């Protein structure tokens, strides 16, 4: 009751500090802070205060810090979820709702989740300009949903620029794709997918960028749809690679014709078109999507590749290759649990 009243009465600059113990149920902060005076909800002692339900950050400029909590749900602008432990069985871990821009999700641990670990929800009004970094997402159970994902919601929304940055996150034990994007203009860099069914996918949307990521310990690579994507300096552990490896996928339509096909309720995912693969390690298939997808991968370029290159017959057009790189290729990063989560870099 005291916590509920404190949330109801909160003013900019307030810190709501939770003593050690268990707080049962869901709680919502509907009041807003300011950019210089956010409202902070935090534990008096790191992770010694446990909320058994979900905390809803409805207002703007709110911070959730160092709690043990079942779930976090961001609905306001300029909200931050930082150094929390979400390690109890639950559905989704951290969710960003439509129209909640400028969010930061950092140094959290999300484990034992049945749904999605970190999920930027669909909307015509996207939750753009977000930053997801240094999170440890592991032990996904009973689900084939993504572990860390961005989505534009409607098929049309997938082509809206989101400008989200996803970097230095570790996903272990994902049941589907560890990292998935259904949004345009997002950057995934220096993340690691370990012991996951698959690593990274640009499923819908254009101009996705993947730099210095690593798929290791049985994780099956990258799958790239959409137009003008860049895949630079990534590692796919060839000892565990299957057809997912690095794929420039085919599709039923090009990105340019995708929205018209959506209106006719006929499309699958768009083919990879005008995508650039530079300095990656591991096998790569150009035109390696499912056979039912009829449009070939179009005008893709492979440079300075270290590994087998397979040009799938009759499923790619205009593919070019160059043994040298046209741009700098940064070294990939393989993260360990100590590099991420609530106790890293303290």
């Amino acid at each position: 009751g005291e916590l509920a009243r404190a949330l109801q009465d909160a003013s900019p600059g307030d810190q709501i500090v939770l003593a050690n113990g268990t707080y049962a149920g869901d709680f919502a902060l509907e009041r807003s802070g300011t950019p210089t005076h956010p409202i902070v909800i935090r534990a008096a002692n790191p992770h010694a205060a446990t909320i058994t339900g979900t905390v809803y950050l409805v207002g703007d400029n709110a911070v959730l810090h160092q709690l043990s909590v079942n779930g976090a749900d961001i609905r306001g602008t300029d909200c931050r979820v930082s150094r929390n432990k979400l390690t109890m069985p639950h559905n989704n871990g951290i969710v960003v709702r439509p129209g909640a821009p400028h969010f930061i999700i950092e140094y959290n641990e999300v484990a034992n989740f049945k749904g999605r670990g970190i999920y930027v929800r669909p909307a015509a009004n996207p939750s753009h300009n977000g930053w997801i970094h240094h999170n440890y997402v592991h032990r996904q159970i009973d689900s084939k949903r993504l572990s860390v994902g961005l989505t534009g919601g409607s098929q049309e929304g997938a082509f809206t620029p989101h400008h989200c940055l996803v970097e230095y996150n570790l996903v272990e034990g994902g049941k589907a794709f560890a990292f998935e994007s259904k949004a345009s203009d997002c950057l995934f860099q220096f993340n690691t997918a370990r012991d996951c069914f698959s690593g990274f996918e640009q499923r819908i949307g254009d101009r996705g960028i993947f730099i210095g990521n690593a798929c290791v310990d049985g994780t099956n690579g990258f799958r790239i749809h959409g137009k003008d994507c860049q895949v630079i300096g990534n590692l796919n552990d060839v000892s565990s690679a299957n057809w997912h490896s690095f794929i420039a996928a085919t599709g039923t339509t090009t990105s340019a014709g995708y929205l018209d096909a959506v209106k006719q309720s006929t499309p699958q995912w768009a083919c990879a078109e005008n995508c650039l693969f530079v300095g990656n390690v591991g096998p790569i298939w150009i035109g390696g999507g499912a056979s039912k997808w009829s449009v070939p991968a179009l005008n893709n370029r492979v440079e300075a590749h270290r590994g087998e290159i397979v040009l799938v017959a009759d499923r790619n057009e205009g593919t070019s290759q160059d043994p040298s790189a046209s741009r700098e290729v940064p070294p990939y990063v393989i993260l360990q649990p100590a590099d991420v989560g609530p106790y890293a870099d303290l």
Side-chain angles (χ1 to χ4, degrees):
E2 291 181 11
L3 174 55
R5 287 191 294 273
L7 294 171
Q8 183 177 355
D9 297 337
S11 298
D14 283 353
Q15 292 203 23
I16 300 171
V17 183
L18 278 65
N20 296 0
T22 300
Y23 300 77
D26 297 335
F27 295 89
L29 175 61
E30 298 186 4
R31 306 295 294 271
S32 293
T34 68
T36 56
H37 294 86
I39 298 172
V40 178
I41 309 168
R42 66 175 179 86
N45 297 293
H47 312 116
T50 299
I51 294 177
T52 63
T54 297
V55 176
Y56 295 88
L57 302 179
V58 181
D60 302 333
N61 295 290
V63 178
L64 192 68
H65 186 60
Q66 289 190 326
L67 293 170
S68 292
V69 61
N70 191 292
D73 194 306
I74 299 174
R75 304 190 177 196
T77 299
D78 289 293
C79 291
R80 181 189 299 252
V81 176
S82 178
R83 297 191 183 275
N84 300 283
K85 297 183 72 172
L86 301 92
T87 57
M88 297 170 288
H90 54 295
N91 189 18
N92 298 321
I94 302 172
V95 178
V96 181
R97 297 287 176 175
H102 306 289
F103 61 87
I104 298 176
I105 299 171
E106 61 179 1
Y107 290 102
N108 300 282
E109 180 182 4
V110 183
N112 302 316
F113 57 99
K114 295 181 180 179
R116 302 168 177 90
I118 299 173
Y119 182 38
V120 182
R121 284 291 301 273
N125 178 20
S127 299
H128 53 78
N129 295 316
W131 186 17
I132 301 172
H133 69 97
H134 289 92
N135 298 283
Y136 183 28
V137 182
H138 62 118
R139 297 202 307 271
Q140 184 179 19
I141 56 176
D142 299 330
S143 175
K144 292 185 178 181
R145 297 184 183 275
L146 54 92
S147 294
V148 177
L150 312 173
T151 175
S154 64
Q155 311 291 14
E156 294 90 341
F159 295 95
T160 301
H162 282 57
H163 300 297
C164 289
L165 172 60
V166 181
E167 62 178 349
Y168 295 102
N169 301 281
L170 170 60
V171 175
E172 290 185 331
K175 303 297 184 184
F177 278 94
F179 298 86
E180 183 179 80
S181 177
K182 296 181 181 179
S184 294
D185 299 282
C186 293
L187 170 59
F188 291 76
Q189 65 179 6
F190 308 120
N191 303 283
T192 298
R194 175 178 287 115
D195 188 27
C196 298
F197 174 75
S198 288
F200 297 79
E201 181 177 41
Q202 179 71 45
R203 193 166 188 178
I204 319 174
D206 296 333
R207 298 175 301 279
I209 301 176
F210 299 81
I211 299 176
N213 303 285
C215 293
V216 297
D217 296 343
T219 299
N220 296 314
F222 296 69
R223 185 156 54 190
I224 305 299
H225 303 259
K227 188 175 182 179
D228 298 318
C229 297
Q230 299 180 46
V231 184
I232 301 171
N234 301 279
L235 168 69
N236 187 65
D237 180 358
V238 295
S239 66
S240 63
N242 68 6
W243 72 275
H244 286 142
S245 297
F246 290 97
I247 290 182
T250 58
T252 57
T253 182
T254 66
S255 293
Y258 189 84
L259 297 183
D260 288 337
V262 165
K263 296 173 183 177
Q264 300 170 18
S265 300
T266 58
Q268 271 284 346
W269 314 121
C271 69
E273 181 181 0
N274 197 36
C275 296
L276 177 64
F277 297 80
V278 182
N280 298 293
V281 180
I284 182 170
W285 294 43
I286 303 297
S291 59
K292 65 181 180 181
W293 298 344
S294 59
V295 176
L298 298 172
N299 301 325
N300 297 289
R301 183 171 178 81
V302 181
E303 298 177 357
H305 188 75
R306 292 184 286 166
E308 181 185 20
I309 300 175
V310 178
L311 304 182
V312 182
D314 301 322
R315 297 179 61 74
N316 75 94
E317 294 180 5
T319 300
S320 63
Q321 300 181 55
D322 193 322
S324 60
S326 61
R327 64 197 61 203
E328 181 180 357
V329 178
Y332 57 79
V333 170
I334 301 178
L335 297 169
Q336 304 297 328
D339 300 321
V340 292
Y343 304 111
D345 295 335
L346 287 176

